[in-house]
Amino acid sequence: LLLGACLALVALGVVSFLVGLSSDPDTAWRAFHVNYLYWGALAQGAICVSCAFVIVGARWPGPVRRFAESLAAWVPLTVVFFLIGFLGRESIYGPWLHGPPAGKEAWLNAPRLFWTNLGILVWMAALSVAYLYYSFRPALGAVAQSGDGGLLGRWAANWQGDEVELARCHRKLQVLAPIICLSFALGWSFVAFDQVMSLSPTWFSNLFGAYFAWGGFVSAVCATVLIALWHSRAPGFEGEITKSRLHDLGKMVFAFSIFWMYLFFSQYLVIWYGNLPEETQFFEARLGSQFLVDKAGINEMFLSETFALSLIRERLNEPYAKLSLLVWACCWIVPFFVLLGQRPKRTPLIIGTVAAISLFGFWLERNVLIWPSLVPKDTLAFLGFVQVGIAAGFLGAFVLVVLLFTRRMPSIPVPGRT
């Protein structure tokens, strides 16, 4: 049933994209761009979740680490979608493609962007595949003995015994894990600069790359929660998704959502008190003027008017303002206040609902980061048959890839490994 639903969503996505290309190519390519970045950052963040477990020597995750790694099966496809998306560069990078701002010509040009980002994504895909190979290989002893072919057979080739393979692969993972995390932080920062921040070519923030990458990491934690809950009653997982493990996952969602908001506020605060037009433009296009310094009002002592309810309502009706506040609610307010106590973190329904809301919020956030730069006056530009259909297609494709990967790969860790 789930397989059929995924295939139906993929078909809907393909049809929506083709319809969009024939009727409104700008909209189709922009929706494609948003969703490719959302799922790409989430998948790459998921491998970093597993890497974090290795780096700190965590012993509590059990199959949770496998669930995070299953999300990373999407990582190689990110390269493919980048190549496809670059075909729509006229619709995406239009603000600078044929005339970058003075002084940015060496950076904002299509060849530089293409080769830099392709190199980053290929490097991340290669590291991720190597990590998955060494993570799953110790569990492939039975495959090595049976001589089965296919991917598992190739991964189990030259088997040297359980103990030898376990020790060898653990050493490899300890080397790869920090390299992958550092590469993710640096590489996806450049991807964010090139494929998101550049859409407002006269705006810049050094912290934006870290903010964008961290959003992918938090999304990966939330997706891991949902997969863990999905498997809680699956055969072979009886007693594996314990209250204690849910509590630890809940603490991750709680803490990392706070840090995501901290990164946002850190760049916002400096821009707010600087109040320079070339810096405030990005926030004004998304949050509206109510979150910026109204120097004219303050200088003329019109504070009563500035804080009048009628004026606040008027400013909330500015393009994308309410949508941005909804993102805050989904990605920070709900996780923070709902998961404050211990019991919500240990309750499957509560933590699952929070994780789903947060995932939806981060999808909205990627839309808020991109659409206002390209369609500044239409808050609902990201909604429509084509846009929603493409999003549904990506969702179906992502779940399908994860489903096929988990059905092929062992999900229960072998004894002796964390």
Side-chain angles (χ1 to χ4, degrees):
L1 181 61
L2 181 58
L3 179 63
C6 290
L7 291 174
L9 289 176
V10 171
L12 174 62
V14 172
V15 171
S16 300
F17 184 59
L18 294 177
V19 169
L21 289 180
S22 62
S23 60
D24 188 357
D26 287 345
T27 296
W29 282 117
R30 291 163 184 171
F32 183 95
H33 190 67
V34 168
N35 288 280
Y36 130 74
L37 287 172
Y38 173 73
W39 293 108
L42 188 156
Q44 195 61 69
I47 203 75
C48 290
V49 172
S50 177
C51 289
F53 293 149
V54 171
I55 292 171
V56 303
R59 295 188 173 275
W60 65 265
V64 171
R65 176 175 149 187
R66 292 292 202 212
F67 299 148
E69 291 169 352
S70 68
L71 298 171
W74 181 266
V75 170
L77 292 177
T78 306
V79 180
V80 177
F81 287 121
F82 166 71
L83 294 173
I84 295 174
F86 196 72
L87 298 176
R89 56 189 176 275
E90 293 286 345
S91 300
I92 299 168
Y93 307 115
W96 58 262
L97 190 62
H98 299 295
K104 295 188 177 183
E105 295 86 355
W107 186 262
L108 293 182
N109 63 82
R112 199 282 313 162
L113 183 147
F114 177 82
W115 291 110
T116 300
N117 286 255
L118 180 62
I120 290 170
L121 296 177
V122 169
W123 170 251
M124 295 303 307
L127 286 176
S128 299
V129 171
Y131 183 90
L132 293 176
Y133 167 77
Y134 287 114
S135 182
F136 282 93
R137 182 175 168 88
L140 301 180
V143 177
Q145 296 173 6
S146 66
D148 291 342
L151 176 62
L152 291 183
R154 291 193 295 272
W155 279 20
N158 302 316
W159 185 260
Q160 300 178 36
D162 290 345
E163 293 185 5
V164 173
E165 293 293 346
L166 184 62
R168 170 175 168 269
C169 290
H170 185 65
R171 289 194 301 269
K172 295 289 187 180
L173 291 178
Q174 287 182 313
V175 173
L176 282 171
I179 295 175
I180 289 175
C181 288
L182 291 173
S183 297
F184 173 65
L186 181 62
W188 271 86
S189 289
F190 276 96
V191 172
F193 293 149
D194 288 343
Q195 300 190 41
V196 182
M197 191 169 73
S198 75
L199 305 186
S200 297
T202 57
W203 180 76
F204 56 90
S205 169
N206 293 335
L207 194 55
F208 181 78
Y211 164 82
F212 187 89
W214 191 256
F217 184 83
V218 182
S219 300
V221 175
C222 295
T224 302
V225 170
L226 293 181
I227 294 181
L229 293 174
W230 178 267
H231 284 83
S232 60
R233 297 184 180 180
F237 290 93
E238 296 85 354
E240 291 289 340
I241 311 303
T242 62
K243 297 285 187 180
S244 178
R245 283 179 173 145
L246 285 180
H247 186 216
D248 287 330
L249 285 171
K251 287 187 289 186
M252 292 176 69
V253 175
F254 176 78
F256 295 156
S257 65
I258 294 174
F259 188 68
W260 171 82
M261 191 62 186
Y262 164 79
L263 289 175
F264 169 84
F265 191 72
S266 295
Q267 62 179 337
Y268 165 75
L269 182 62
V270 177
I271 292 173
W272 175 81
Y273 70 63
N275 203 34
L276 302 175
E278 65 269 24
E279 295 181 351
T280 58
Q281 58 173 307
F282 189 85
F283 290 100
E284 184 172 12
R286 290 154 177 83
L287 291 169
S289 57
Q290 70 269 29
F291 286 95
L292 300 174
V293 178
D294 187 357
K295 286 187 174 180
I298 294 175
N299 292 339
E300 297 177 20
M301 300 302 292
F302 290 157
L303 293 180
S304 59
E305 294 184 13
T306 299
F307 294 102
L309 291 178
S310 59
L311 185 58
I312 292 175
R313 285 195 297 268
E314 178 183 336
R315 289 177 170 180
L316 283 176
N317 288 326
E318 294 176 11
Y320 295 100
K322 292 179 180 177
L323 185 61
S324 298
L325 295 181
L326 179 60
V327 169
W328 278 358
C330 293
C331 298
W332 176 61
I333 296 176
V334 170
F336 180 80
F337 287 101
V338 175
L339 297 180
L340 265 175
Q342 184 183 76
R343 180 174 294 179
K345 300 183 184 74
R346 301 168 68 90
T347 305
L349 179 61
I350 296 177
I351 188 176
T353 301
V354 170
I357 291 173
S358 186
L359 274 176
F360 175 68
F362 277 108
W363 179 76
L364 289 178
E365 184 244 15
R366 304 293 145 159
N367 281 280
V368 169
L369 291 178
I370 292 172
W371 284 98
S373 298
L374 303 171
V375 189
K377 300 300 181 182
D378 186 1
T379 304
L380 301 180
F382 73 104
L383 292 178
F385 170 77
V386 171
Q387 300 93 310
V388 174
I390 291 173
F394 269 92
L395 172 63
F398 187 87
V399 175
L400 180 62
V401 169
V402 173
L403 183 64
L404 295 176
F405 185 84
T406 53
R407 287 188 176 182
R408 291 290 296 165
M409 293 295 182
S411 297
I412 302 295
V414 299
R417 79 185 292 276
T418 58

